[in-house]
Amino acid sequence: MNQQSPYLIALCNQLETQLGFKIKNIANAEKSSGLLALDKLFISPHTIARMYGVVKPFRTPYKDTLNVIARYLNYADWEDFCNNQTNVPFDPNFFLTEASDGFSLAVLQLALANEDFKALYLVLEKAKENENEAVLFTAADLIGASVRTCKKQKELLQLLAKNSVGHRFFYECYVDEDNDNNYFSDALLNCYLPNVTNDYKKLYVYCFVISQTAHKTQQSSPLIQEFQKLTGQLDKKNGHFHELSRWMECQILIDGYNGILQETWQLHAAELIVLTTGLGFNEKAWLLSRSLKALILFGFKEELFHQEELNNHIDEIIKNQKKEFHSIALYVLQLYWICKSLYFHNKSVYNPFRIHNILFLNESNEKTAIEFAVASLFASGENKNIITRNLKSFCETKGVYWVVKMIN
């Protein structure tokens, strides 16, 4: 799911509640900075404005900034704040969305359960007025889970494609990477794409389908020509980090299928390093992980292990990880980092983290394959034999064959 850390969303919401006003412009940010300064807590208006998306692009705040805000909210520091949030931090109090006849999670869930699409359309319209991102991400999860099991799936996909909130919740936020029977790829092409005009959103569609085709079938996609035509008109400087990560991944996949990756992979690695400059750890993780998967799919694992500058960035991300920023991207980097450490016989002690099984259900296949792979690296005896015997067929079936190439 393409989202900010749920802990950061919670922090921003609680800060606005404590201050008594929303932070929607520079004047609000300046007022916030002044109020914090009264308590001898200092954050610049520009930093606050960037954190709330007033100043673009959004970047994950430095830990010192998060510590200051946490102290203003009467926590010891950022880590203490995170430890005192709910176990499912992006799932807000379900019943606090009923007030004032506004957007309601309960009504949304009921409309989805009964496949009442007339009611669903009205609920989505009300969501346009809701600014609580924790509520909106919960709504995206509800919609995504319902689409997967809906008896009238095609009708629901069309409804979501013709509604701007449907775009945001399902096609752009939920992003079903599991893509069972290619239903999500087909929906992007046949429902979503005809209803978007933004070139970067078109790029997202082409990249998703090209990547899915490569990883699931080990074949090139007929959309490559459309991708190349479109990217010739776009500038990476204007792309969101998720768009850039998919763009870079597709460039690598295309070079792989054209048989020139041996000559170009180091150029791609150098560009990745440039593009990560100034990004936070979460953004860097996404940019690096998608490209790593593409390179590993074409057998460049050992070459990557010896790319010192790129590995320095990955080492930094792994060593500075925090649970509030765990993601599938970080899961990918963790598996890569462990394999690299074993390759070089590194004696560092590292305890792999594991993401709770209720999170990232839109990427459950890759998440599970990575967990099996990490387990295989630490298992012994009969357990190792069972994992080894089953992992390859699981990855081939689910379209995550890069995982097998990573651990072999």
Side-chain angles (χ1 to χ4, degrees), residues 316-376:
E316 183 183 24
I317 292 170
I318 293 296
K319 291 174 181 177
N320 290 281
Q321 63 171 285
K322 295 294 181 182
K323 68 178 182 180
E324 62 271 16
F325 295 121
H326 284 173
S327 64
I328 298 300
L330 192 56
Y331 239 18
V332 173
L333 295 187
Q334 175 179 250
L335 176 60
Y336 171 85
W337 191 88
I338 294 171
C339 290
K340 177 173 68 72
S341 297
L342 293 173
Y343 178 85
F344 287 113
H345 304 289
N346 191 322
K347 296 182 180 180
S348 299
V349 176
Y350 176 75
N351 296 317
F353 72 88
R354 181 166 183 166
I355 296 173
H356 196 288
N357 61 6
I358 65 171
L359 299 178
F360 306 115
L361 295 180
N362 62 315
E363 301 179 80
S364 61
N365 291 336
E366 187 160 66
K367 175 175 175 288
T368 304
I370 291 171
E371 288 170 352
F372 289 161
V374 172
S376 76

Short mmCIF file of all heavy atoms in Angstrom, two decimals, residues 316-376:
data_model
loop_
_atom_site.label_atom_id
_atom_site.label_comp_id
_atom_site.label_asym_id
_atom_site.label_seq_id
_atom_site.Cartn_x
_atom_site.Cartn_y
_atom_site.Cartn_z
N GLU A 316 22.70 1.35 5.56
CA GLU A 316 22.22 2.46 6.38
C GLU A 316 20.72 2.30 6.69
O GLU A 316 20.28 2.53 7.81
CB GLU A 316 22.46 3.79 5.65
CG GLU A 316 22.05 5.00 6.48
CD GLU A 316 22.23 6.30 5.72
OE1 GLU A 316 22.22 6.27 4.47
OE2 GLU A 316 22.35 7.36 6.37
N ILE A 317 19.96 1.89 5.70
CA ILE A 317 18.51 1.70 5.89
C ILE A 317 18.25 0.58 6.90
O ILE A 317 17.44 0.72 7.82
CB ILE A 317 17.82 1.38 4.55
CG1 ILE A 317 17.87 2.61 3.64
CG2 ILE A 317 16.37 0.96 4.78
CD1 ILE A 317 17.42 2.32 2.21
N ILE A 318 18.94 -0.55 6.74
CA ILE A 318 18.74 -1.69 7.63
C ILE A 318 19.16 -1.35 9.06
O ILE A 318 18.44 -1.66 10.03
CB ILE A 318 19.52 -2.92 7.13
CG1 ILE A 318 18.93 -3.44 5.81
CG2 ILE A 318 19.53 -4.03 8.18
CD1 ILE A 318 17.52 -3.96 5.92
N LYS A 319 20.27 -0.69 9.22
CA LYS A 319 20.79 -0.41 10.56
C LYS A 319 20.00 0.67 11.28
O LYS A 319 20.05 0.76 12.51
CB LYS A 319 22.27 -0.01 10.46
CG LYS A 319 23.16 -1.19 10.05
CD LYS A 319 24.60 -0.76 9.82
CE LYS A 319 25.44 -1.94 9.37
NZ LYS A 319 26.85 -1.57 9.06
N ASN A 320 19.26 1.49 10.54
CA ASN A 320 18.49 2.58 11.15
C ASN A 320 16.98 2.35 11.09
O ASN A 320 16.21 3.27 11.36
CB ASN A 320 18.83 3.91 10.47
CG ASN A 320 20.22 4.39 10.78
OD1 ASN A 320 20.48 4.94 11.85
ND2 ASN A 320 21.15 4.16 9.86
N GLN A 321 16.58 1.12 10.78
CA GLN A 321 15.15 0.84 10.65
C GLN A 321 14.44 1.00 11.99
O GLN A 321 15.00 0.76 13.05
CB GLN A 321 14.94 -0.58 10.14
CG GLN A 321 15.47 -1.63 11.08
CD GLN A 321 15.09 -3.04 10.68
OE1 GLN A 321 13.95 -3.43 10.85
NE2 GLN A 321 16.04 -3.78 10.12
N LYS A 322 13.18 1.41 11.90
CA LYS A 322 12.30 1.49 13.06
C LYS A 322 11.00 0.79 12.72
O LYS A 322 10.54 0.84 11.58
CB LYS A 322 12.03 2.95 13.45
CG LYS A 322 13.26 3.71 13.93
CD LYS A 322 13.79 3.15 15.25
CE LYS A 322 15.00 3.92 15.74
NZ LYS A 322 15.55 3.35 17.01
N LYS A 323 10.38 0.17 13.69
CA LYS A 323 9.20 -0.65 13.40
C LYS A 323 8.06 0.15 12.81
O LYS A 323 7.24 -0.38 12.07
CB LYS A 323 8.73 -1.38 14.66
CG LYS A 323 8.16 -0.47 15.74
CD LYS A 323 7.69 -1.29 16.93
CE LYS A 323 7.07 -0.43 18.01
NZ LYS A 323 6.61 -1.20 19.17
N GLU A 324 8.02 1.47 13.12
CA GLU A 324 6.92 2.27 12.58
C GLU A 324 7.04 2.47 11.08
O GLU A 324 6.09 2.91 10.43
CB GLU A 324 6.85 3.63 13.29
CG GLU A 324 8.07 4.52 13.13
CD GLU A 324 9.12 4.29 14.21
OE1 GLU A 324 9.05 3.26 14.88
OE2 GLU A 324 10.00 5.15 14.36
N PHE A 325 8.21 2.15 10.50
CA PHE A 325 8.40 2.31 9.06
C PHE A 325 8.56 0.96 8.35
O PHE A 325 9.03 0.92 7.22
CB PHE A 325 9.63 3.20 8.78
CG PHE A 325 9.45 4.61 9.25
CD1 PHE A 325 10.33 5.16 10.17
CD2 PHE A 325 8.41 5.38 8.78
CE1 PHE A 325 10.16 6.46 10.62
CE2 PHE A 325 8.23 6.69 9.22
CZ PHE A 325 9.12 7.23 10.15
N HIS A 326 8.18 -0.11 8.99
CA HIS A 326 8.27 -1.41 8.33
C HIS A 326 7.33 -1.46 7.13
O HIS A 326 6.21 -0.96 7.18
CB HIS A 326 7.93 -2.53 9.31
CG HIS A 326 9.02 -2.83 10.28
ND1 HIS A 326 8.88 -3.71 11.33
CD2 HIS A 326 10.30 -2.37 10.35
CE1 HIS A 326 10.02 -3.78 12.01
NE2 HIS A 326 10.89 -2.97 11.44
N SER A 327 7.80 -2.05 6.06
CA SER A 327 7.04 -2.12 4.81
C SER A 327 7.53 -3.33 4.03
O SER A 327 8.53 -3.96 4.38
CB SER A 327 7.26 -0.86 3.97
OG SER A 327 8.62 -0.76 3.56
N ILE A 328 6.83 -3.67 2.95
CA ILE A 328 7.29 -4.76 2.09
C ILE A 328 8.63 -4.39 1.45
O ILE A 328 9.49 -5.25 1.25
CB ILE A 328 6.24 -5.08 1.01
CG1 ILE A 328 4.94 -5.54 1.67
CG2 ILE A 328 6.75 -6.16 0.06
CD1 ILE A 328 5.06 -6.79 2.52
N ALA A 329 8.82 -3.12 1.15
CA ALA A 329 10.10 -2.68 0.58
C ALA A 329 11.25 -3.00 1.54
O ALA A 329 12.30 -3.50 1.14
CB ALA A 329 10.06 -1.19 0.28
N LEU A 330 11.03 -2.72 2.82
CA LEU A 330 12.07 -3.00 3.81
C LEU A 330 12.25 -4.51 3.99
O LEU A 330 13.35 -4.99 4.24
CB LEU A 330 11.73 -2.35 5.15
CG LEU A 330 12.83 -2.31 6.20
CD1 LEU A 330 14.08 -1.62 5.66
CD2 LEU A 330 12.36 -1.59 7.46
N TYR A 331 11.16 -5.27 3.84
CA TYR A 331 11.23 -6.72 3.87
C TYR A 331 12.17 -7.24 2.77
O TYR A 331 12.97 -8.14 2.98
CB TYR A 331 9.84 -7.29 3.64
CG TYR A 331 9.30 -8.18 4.76
CD1 TYR A 331 9.83 -8.16 6.04
CD2 TYR A 331 8.23 -9.03 4.51
CE1 TYR A 331 9.30 -8.96 7.03
CE2 TYR A 331 7.68 -9.83 5.51
CZ TYR A 331 8.23 -9.79 6.77
OH TYR A 331 7.72 -10.58 7.76
N VAL A 332 12.03 -6.67 1.57
CA VAL A 332 12.89 -7.04 0.44
C VAL A 332 14.34 -6.75 0.76
O VAL A 332 15.23 -7.59 0.55
CB VAL A 332 12.46 -6.29 -0.84
CG1 VAL A 332 13.46 -6.55 -1.97
CG2 VAL A 332 11.05 -6.70 -1.27
N LEU A 333 14.60 -5.54 1.27
CA LEU A 333 15.97 -5.15 1.59
C LEU A 333 16.55 -6.01 2.71
O LEU A 333 17.74 -6.32 2.72
CB LEU A 333 16.02 -3.67 1.98
CG LEU A 333 15.66 -2.66 0.89
CD1 LEU A 333 15.92 -1.24 1.38
CD2 LEU A 333 16.42 -2.92 -0.41
N GLN A 334 15.70 -6.38 3.67
CA GLN A 334 16.18 -7.23 4.77
C GLN A 334 16.65 -8.58 4.24
O GLN A 334 17.73 -9.07 4.61
CB GLN A 334 15.07 -7.45 5.80
CG GLN A 334 15.46 -8.43 6.91
CD GLN A 334 14.37 -8.62 7.94
OE1 GLN A 334 14.50 -8.18 9.07
NE2 GLN A 334 13.29 -9.29 7.58
N LEU A 335 15.86 -9.21 3.35
CA LEU A 335 16.27 -10.49 2.77
C LEU A 335 17.57 -10.35 1.99
O LEU A 335 18.48 -11.18 2.12
CB LEU A 335 15.16 -11.03 1.86
CG LEU A 335 15.50 -12.33 1.11
CD1 LEU A 335 15.80 -13.46 2.08
CD2 LEU A 335 14.35 -12.72 0.17
N TYR A 336 17.65 -9.28 1.20
CA TYR A 336 18.88 -9.03 0.43
C TYR A 336 20.07 -8.87 1.38
O TYR A 336 21.14 -9.45 1.16
CB TYR A 336 18.71 -7.77 -0.43
CG TYR A 336 19.98 -7.29 -1.08
CD1 TYR A 336 20.40 -7.81 -2.30
CD2 TYR A 336 20.79 -6.32 -0.47
CE1 TYR A 336 21.59 -7.40 -2.90
CE2 TYR A 336 21.97 -5.90 -1.06
CZ TYR A 336 22.36 -6.44 -2.27
OH TYR A 336 23.53 -6.01 -2.86
N TRP A 337 19.90 -8.08 2.43
CA TRP A 337 20.99 -7.78 3.37
C TRP A 337 21.47 -9.04 4.08
O TRP A 337 22.67 -9.25 4.26
CB TRP A 337 20.51 -6.74 4.37
CG TRP A 337 21.59 -6.15 5.22
CD1 TRP A 337 22.37 -5.06 4.94
CD2 TRP A 337 22.01 -6.62 6.50
NE1 TRP A 337 23.25 -4.82 5.96
CE2 TRP A 337 23.06 -5.77 6.93
CE3 TRP A 337 21.63 -7.66 7.33
CZ2 TRP A 337 23.71 -5.93 8.16
CZ3 TRP A 337 22.27 -7.84 8.55
CH2 TRP A 337 23.29 -6.98 8.95
N ILE A 338 20.52 -9.90 4.49
CA ILE A 338 20.90 -11.16 5.15
C ILE A 338 21.69 -12.05 4.19
O ILE A 338 22.73 -12.62 4.56
CB ILE A 338 19.65 -11.90 5.66
CG1 ILE A 338 18.98 -11.09 6.78
CG2 ILE A 338 20.02 -13.29 6.17
CD1 ILE A 338 17.63 -11.64 7.20
N CYS A 339 21.21 -12.15 2.94
CA CYS A 339 21.90 -12.99 1.95
C CYS A 339 23.30 -12.45 1.67
O CYS A 339 24.26 -13.22 1.52
CB CYS A 339 21.08 -13.05 0.66
SG CYS A 339 19.56 -14.00 0.80
N LYS A 340 23.41 -11.13 1.61
CA LYS A 340 24.72 -10.52 1.36
C LYS A 340 25.66 -10.80 2.54
O LYS A 340 26.84 -11.10 2.35
CB LYS A 340 24.56 -9.01 1.15
CG LYS A 340 25.88 -8.26 0.95
CD LYS A 340 25.65 -6.82 0.57
CE LYS A 340 25.06 -6.00 1.67
NZ LYS A 340 26.04 -5.72 2.78
N SER A 341 25.14 -10.70 3.75
CA SER A 341 25.96 -10.96 4.94
C SER A 341 26.46 -12.40 4.96
O SER A 341 27.61 -12.67 5.30
CB SER A 341 25.15 -10.66 6.21
OG SER A 341 24.79 -9.30 6.27
N LEU A 342 25.59 -13.33 4.59
CA LEU A 342 25.99 -14.75 4.54
C LEU A 342 27.02 -14.98 3.44
O LEU A 342 27.96 -15.77 3.61
CB LEU A 342 24.76 -15.62 4.32
CG LEU A 342 23.75 -15.66 5.48
CD1 LEU A 342 22.49 -16.41 5.06
CD2 LEU A 342 24.37 -16.30 6.72
N TYR A 343 26.85 -14.30 2.32
CA TYR A 343 27.76 -14.44 1.19
C TYR A 343 29.19 -14.03 1.58
O TYR A 343 30.17 -14.69 1.21
CB TYR A 343 27.26 -13.58 0.03
CG TYR A 343 28.13 -13.58 -1.20
CD1 TYR A 343 28.02 -14.58 -2.17
CD2 TYR A 343 29.06 -12.57 -1.41
CE1 TYR A 343 28.81 -14.58 -3.30
CE2 TYR A 343 29.87 -12.54 -2.54
CZ TYR A 343 29.74 -13.55 -3.48
OH TYR A 343 30.52 -13.54 -4.61
N PHE A 344 29.29 -12.94 2.36
CA PHE A 344 30.60 -12.44 2.78
C PHE A 344 31.02 -12.98 4.15
O PHE A 344 32.02 -12.52 4.70
CB PHE A 344 30.59 -10.91 2.81
CG PHE A 344 30.58 -10.26 1.45
CD1 PHE A 344 29.48 -9.55 1.02
CD2 PHE A 344 31.67 -10.39 0.59
CE1 PHE A 344 29.46 -8.95 -0.24
CE2 PHE A 344 31.66 -9.81 -0.67
CZ PHE A 344 30.55 -9.09 -1.08
N HIS A 345 30.24 -13.94 4.69
CA HIS A 345 30.54 -14.54 6.00
C HIS A 345 30.65 -13.47 7.08
O HIS A 345 31.51 -13.54 7.97
CB HIS A 345 31.83 -15.37 5.94
CG HIS A 345 31.82 -16.43 4.89
ND1 HIS A 345 31.04 -17.57 4.98
CD2 HIS A 345 32.47 -16.51 3.68
CE1 HIS A 345 31.21 -18.31 3.90
NE2 HIS A 345 32.06 -17.71 3.09
N ASN A 346 29.75 -12.50 7.00
CA ASN A 346 29.71 -11.43 8.00
C ASN A 346 29.24 -11.99 9.33
O ASN A 346 28.25 -12.72 9.40
CB ASN A 346 28.73 -10.34 7.51
CG ASN A 346 28.84 -9.07 8.34
OD1 ASN A 346 29.01 -9.13 9.55
ND2 ASN A 346 28.70 -7.93 7.69
N LYS A 347 29.93 -11.66 10.40
CA LYS A 347 29.61 -12.20 11.72
C LYS A 347 28.69 -11.29 12.53
O LYS A 347 28.49 -11.50 13.73
CB LYS A 347 30.89 -12.48 12.49
CG LYS A 347 31.77 -13.57 11.85
CD LYS A 347 33.01 -13.85 12.67
CE LYS A 347 33.85 -14.94 12.02
NZ LYS A 347 35.08 -15.23 12.81
N SER A 348 28.12 -10.27 11.89
CA SER A 348 27.21 -9.37 12.59
C SER A 348 26.00 -10.14 13.11
O SER A 348 25.48 -11.03 12.46
CB SER A 348 26.72 -8.25 11.66
OG SER A 348 27.81 -7.49 11.20
N VAL A 349 25.56 -9.79 14.32
CA VAL A 349 24.37 -10.39 14.90
C VAL A 349 23.16 -9.55 14.47
O VAL A 349 23.12 -8.34 14.70
CB VAL A 349 24.45 -10.44 16.43
CG1 VAL A 349 23.15 -10.99 17.02
CG2 VAL A 349 25.64 -11.29 16.86
N TYR A 350 22.20 -10.18 13.83
CA TYR A 350 21.03 -9.45 13.35
C TYR A 350 19.79 -10.30 13.58
O TYR A 350 19.75 -11.48 13.21
CB TYR A 350 21.17 -9.14 11.85
CG TYR A 350 19.94 -8.47 11.26
CD1 TYR A 350 19.67 -7.13 11.51
CD2 TYR A 350 19.05 -9.18 10.46
CE1 TYR A 350 18.56 -6.51 10.98
CE2 TYR A 350 17.93 -8.57 9.92
CZ TYR A 350 17.69 -7.23 10.19
OH TYR A 350 16.57 -6.62 9.66
N ASN A 351 18.79 -9.72 14.21
CA ASN A 351 17.52 -10.40 14.44
C ASN A 351 16.49 -9.89 13.44
O ASN A 351 16.04 -8.75 13.55
CB ASN A 351 17.02 -10.16 15.87
CG ASN A 351 17.95 -10.74 16.91
OD1 ASN A 351 18.43 -11.86 16.75
ND2 ASN A 351 18.21 -9.99 17.97
N PRO A 352 16.11 -10.68 12.45
CA PRO A 352 15.17 -10.22 11.43
C PRO A 352 13.83 -9.84 12.05
O PRO A 352 13.34 -10.50 12.96
CB PRO A 352 15.01 -11.43 10.50
CG PRO A 352 16.21 -12.29 10.78
CD PRO A 352 16.54 -12.07 12.21
N PHE A 353 13.24 -8.75 11.56
CA PHE A 353 11.90 -8.39 12.02
C PHE A 353 10.87 -9.13 11.17
O PHE A 353 11.14 -9.59 10.08
CB PHE A 353 11.68 -6.87 11.91
CG PHE A 353 11.53 -6.35 10.50
CD1 PHE A 353 10.27 -6.31 9.89
CD2 PHE A 353 12.63 -5.90 9.79
CE1 PHE A 353 10.12 -5.83 8.60
CE2 PHE A 353 12.48 -5.41 8.49
CZ PHE A 353 11.23 -5.37 7.90
N ARG A 354 9.67 -9.24 11.71
CA ARG A 354 8.58 -9.88 10.98
C ARG A 354 7.36 -8.99 11.07
O ARG A 354 6.99 -8.51 12.14
CB ARG A 354 8.27 -11.26 11.56
CG ARG A 354 7.14 -11.98 10.80
CD ARG A 354 7.07 -13.45 11.16
NE ARG A 354 6.04 -14.12 10.38
CZ ARG A 354 5.92 -15.42 10.27
NH1 ARG A 354 6.79 -16.21 10.90
NH2 ARG A 354 4.97 -15.97 9.55
N ILE A 355 6.70 -8.78 9.92
CA ILE A 355 5.51 -7.93 9.86
C ILE A 355 4.30 -8.74 10.30
O ILE A 355 4.15 -9.90 9.91
CB ILE A 355 5.30 -7.39 8.43
CG1 ILE A 355 6.48 -6.48 8.04
CG2 ILE A 355 3.99 -6.62 8.32
CD1 ILE A 355 6.44 -6.02 6.59
N HIS A 356 3.45 -8.13 11.10
CA HIS A 356 2.25 -8.81 11.60
C HIS A 356 1.40 -9.32 10.42
O HIS A 356 1.30 -8.67 9.39
CB HIS A 356 1.41 -7.83 12.44
CG HIS A 356 0.39 -8.51 13.30
ND1 HIS A 356 -0.75 -9.09 12.79
CD2 HIS A 356 0.33 -8.69 14.64
CE1 HIS A 356 -1.47 -9.60 13.78
NE2 HIS A 356 -0.83 -9.38 14.91
N ASN A 357 0.78 -10.49 10.61
CA ASN A 357 0.07 -11.11 9.48
C ASN A 357 -1.21 -10.40 9.06
O ASN A 357 -1.80 -10.75 8.05
CB ASN A 357 -0.23 -12.59 9.79
CG ASN A 357 -1.12 -12.76 11.02
OD1 ASN A 357 -1.61 -11.80 11.58
ND2 ASN A 357 -1.31 -14.01 11.43
N ILE A 358 -1.66 -9.40 9.83
CA ILE A 358 -2.85 -8.66 9.40
C ILE A 358 -2.49 -7.44 8.54
O ILE A 358 -3.39 -6.77 8.04
CB ILE A 358 -3.68 -8.19 10.62
CG1 ILE A 358 -2.90 -7.16 11.46
CG2 ILE A 358 -4.13 -9.36 11.46
CD1 ILE A 358 -3.73 -6.52 12.54
N LEU A 359 -1.20 -7.19 8.39
CA LEU A 359 -0.78 -6.02 7.63
C LEU A 359 -0.37 -6.39 6.20
O LEU A 359 0.07 -7.50 5.94
CB LEU A 359 0.41 -5.34 8.33
CG LEU A 359 0.15 -4.83 9.75
CD1 LEU A 359 1.42 -4.24 10.33
CD2 LEU A 359 -0.96 -3.78 9.76
N PHE A 360 -0.56 -5.43 5.29
CA PHE A 360 -0.13 -5.56 3.89
C PHE A 360 -0.74 -6.78 3.21
O PHE A 360 -0.04 -7.55 2.53
CB PHE A 360 1.40 -5.58 3.79
CG PHE A 360 2.06 -4.40 4.45
CD1 PHE A 360 2.88 -4.56 5.55
CD2 PHE A 360 1.83 -3.11 3.98
CE1 PHE A 360 3.47 -3.47 6.17
CE2 PHE A 360 2.42 -2.01 4.60
CZ PHE A 360 3.24 -2.19 5.69
N LEU A 361 -2.05 -6.95 3.40
CA LEU A 361 -2.73 -8.09 2.79
C LEU A 361 -2.80 -7.97 1.28
O LEU A 361 -3.07 -8.96 0.59
CB LEU A 361 -4.14 -8.22 3.37
CG LEU A 361 -4.19 -8.54 4.88
CD1 LEU A 361 -5.64 -8.64 5.35
CD2 LEU A 361 -3.45 -9.84 5.19
N ASN A 362 -2.57 -6.78 0.74
CA ASN A 362 -2.53 -6.60 -0.71
C ASN A 362 -1.24 -7.14 -1.32
O ASN A 362 -1.12 -7.25 -2.54
CB ASN A 362 -2.69 -5.12 -1.07
CG ASN A 362 -1.57 -4.27 -0.51
OD1 ASN A 362 -1.18 -4.42 0.65
ND2 ASN A 362 -1.02 -3.38 -1.33
N GLU A 363 -0.25 -7.47 -0.47
CA GLU A 363 1.03 -8.01 -0.94
C GLU A 363 1.37 -9.29 -0.19
O GLU A 363 2.52 -9.55 0.13
CB GLU A 363 2.14 -6.97 -0.74
CG GLU A 363 1.90 -5.67 -1.49
CD GLU A 363 3.00 -4.65 -1.26
OE1 GLU A 363 4.05 -4.78 -1.91
OE2 GLU A 363 2.80 -3.74 -0.44
N SER A 364 0.35 -10.09 0.09
CA SER A 364 0.55 -11.26 0.96
C SER A 364 1.45 -12.31 0.32
O SER A 364 2.19 -13.02 1.02
CB SER A 364 -0.80 -11.87 1.32
OG SER A 364 -1.49 -12.31 0.17
N ASN A 365 1.41 -12.46 -1.01
CA ASN A 365 2.23 -13.49 -1.66
C ASN A 365 3.72 -13.20 -1.50
O ASN A 365 4.51 -14.08 -1.12
CB ASN A 365 1.87 -13.59 -3.14
CG ASN A 365 0.48 -14.16 -3.36
OD1 ASN A 365 -0.05 -14.87 -2.52
ND2 ASN A 365 -0.12 -13.84 -4.50
N GLU A 366 4.11 -11.96 -1.81
CA GLU A 366 5.52 -11.61 -1.68
C GLU A 366 5.95 -11.61 -0.23
O GLU A 366 7.04 -12.08 0.12
CB GLU A 366 5.78 -10.24 -2.32
CG GLU A 366 7.25 -9.87 -2.39
CD GLU A 366 7.51 -8.78 -3.41
OE1 GLU A 366 7.03 -7.64 -3.19
OE2 GLU A 366 8.17 -9.06 -4.42
N LYS A 367 5.09 -11.10 0.64
CA LYS A 367 5.38 -11.08 2.08
C LYS A 367 5.65 -12.50 2.60
O LYS A 367 6.63 -12.75 3.30
CB LYS A 367 4.21 -10.46 2.82
CG LYS A 367 4.30 -10.46 4.33
CD LYS A 367 3.11 -9.70 4.91
CE LYS A 367 3.09 -9.76 6.43
NZ LYS A 367 2.71 -11.09 6.94
N THR A 368 4.77 -13.44 2.23
CA THR A 368 4.91 -14.82 2.68
C THR A 368 6.15 -15.48 2.10
O THR A 368 6.89 -16.19 2.81
CB THR A 368 3.67 -15.63 2.29
OG1 THR A 368 2.49 -14.99 2.82
CG2 THR A 368 3.74 -17.05 2.82
N ALA A 369 6.42 -15.25 0.82
CA ALA A 369 7.60 -15.84 0.19
C ALA A 369 8.88 -15.35 0.86
O ALA A 369 9.81 -16.14 1.09
CB ALA A 369 7.62 -15.48 -1.30
N ILE A 370 8.94 -14.07 1.19
CA ILE A 370 10.12 -13.53 1.86
C ILE A 370 10.27 -14.15 3.24
O ILE A 370 11.40 -14.50 3.66
CB ILE A 370 10.02 -11.99 1.96
CG1 ILE A 370 10.15 -11.36 0.57
CG2 ILE A 370 11.10 -11.43 2.89
CD1 ILE A 370 9.85 -9.88 0.52
N GLU A 371 9.17 -14.32 3.95
CA GLU A 371 9.23 -14.95 5.28
C GLU A 371 9.72 -16.39 5.19
O GLU A 371 10.55 -16.83 6.01
CB GLU A 371 7.85 -14.87 5.94
CG GLU A 371 7.49 -13.46 6.37
CD GLU A 371 6.04 -13.31 6.79
OE1 GLU A 371 5.25 -14.27 6.62
OE2 GLU A 371 5.69 -12.23 7.30
N PHE A 372 9.24 -17.12 4.18
CA PHE A 372 9.72 -18.49 3.98
C PHE A 372 11.22 -18.49 3.69
O PHE A 372 11.98 -19.33 4.19
CB PHE A 372 8.99 -19.16 2.81
CG PHE A 372 7.55 -19.49 3.08
CD1 PHE A 372 6.67 -19.72 2.03
CD2 PHE A 372 7.06 -19.59 4.37
CE1 PHE A 372 5.35 -20.04 2.26
CE2 PHE A 372 5.74 -19.90 4.62
CZ PHE A 372 4.87 -20.13 3.56
N ALA A 373 11.65 -17.54 2.85
CA ALA A 373 13.06 -17.48 2.46
C ALA A 373 13.96 -17.16 3.65
O ALA A 373 15.00 -17.79 3.85
CB ALA A 373 13.25 -16.43 1.36
N VAL A 374 13.56 -16.18 4.46
CA VAL A 374 14.34 -15.84 5.65
C VAL A 374 14.39 -17.04 6.59
O VAL A 374 15.45 -17.38 7.15
CB VAL A 374 13.74 -14.61 6.37
CG1 VAL A 374 14.43 -14.38 7.72
CG2 VAL A 374 13.88 -13.36 5.50
N ALA A 375 13.24 -17.71 6.75
CA ALA A 375 13.21 -18.90 7.61
C ALA A 375 14.17 -19.97 7.11
O ALA A 375 14.85 -20.63 7.90
CB ALA A 375 11.79 -19.45 7.68
N SER A 376 14.25 -20.13 5.79
CA SER A 376 15.13 -21.16 5.22
C SER A 376 16.59 -20.88 5.52
O SER A 376 17.40 -21.80 5.64
CB SER A 376 14.92 -21.26 3.71
OG SER A 376 15.52 -20.17 3.02
#
